[in-house]
Amino acid sequence: MGKPTDRELVEQARAGNAQAFGTLVQRYQRRIFRLAFHLVRTGAEAEDVTQETFVRAYQALDRFDGRSEPFTWLYRIAVNLSLNTIRARKPKRDAVPADDPRIEPLLAEHRSSHGSDPARIAQERQLTKALCEGIDKLSDTLRTTLVLVCIDGMGHEEAARVLDCPEGTVAWRVHEARRKLREHLEKQGFGGDAA
């Protein structure tokens, strides 16, 4: 017998099988955390959002109507909780710290192909920091859409379901976010190929 589908796990969880819901948590915990982390920008808050996402989903199992995939439903909960967390903050951070934990994973993807040239690594670190600053300056709507599509790799159709908006709106938001990021990077001295 193969692995149960997400929908089967939801049905089993509705019937009282807590282990089935645990399997859903295991399947999506990392992705939900990664999404929350890119939106709220701190590990502790991302952990809180991740945990609360699954608590709320478990409490709302009876209200899940099956019109979307369970994964999409979980993502929608995580996006809403992340945005609530951002809005609840009193001061808004303006600068990306040098030790921003988002920077290392982005750099790690490129290091294997560029070797260990210290000058190149320093330049990529500066570019990545500028990119994180640009992402942070985007509106919540543009940043959320960009994270879903460009960082998490979600297709426009699926992102539209998560964000509850038309697919064309997702495409426009991604285009607009990228345009604003290019402008930001050019102002920071990263033109041409970097943008």
Side-chain angles (χ1 to χ4, degrees), residues 7 35 56 58 63 69 71 76-77 81-82 87 91-93 95 105 107 119 122 128-129 152 162-163 165 177 183 185:
R7 287 181 184 272
L35 167 70
R56 291 209 183 172
Y58 188 77
R63 293 192 307 270
E69 289 298 316
F71 166 76
R76 185 173 297 153
I77 293 170
L81 288 171
S82 296
R87 290 179 193 122
K92 187 170 182 173
R93 286 193 297 190
L107 288 174
T128 304
K129 185 175 184 226
D152 204 45
V162 168
L163 298 170
C165 66
E183 285 177 4
L185 290 175

Side-chain angles (χ1 to χ4, degrees), residues 100-143:
D100 187 322
R102 295 175 296 170
I103 293 174
E104 278 309 312
L106 292 172
L107 288 174
E109 294 175 17
H110 299 288
R111 274 202 190 121
S112 59
S113 62
H114 297 307
S116 59
D117 177 14
R120 176 91 177 186
I121 290 171
Q123 183 181 18
E124 286 180 357
R125 179 174 289 284
Q126 289 175 338
L127 173 61
T128 304
K129 185 175 184 226
L131 184 61
C132 287
E133 288 171 350
I135 290 170
D136 290 350
K137 288 182 178 183
L138 295 172
S139 69
D140 292 344
T141 304
L142 292 180
R143 184 173 60 252

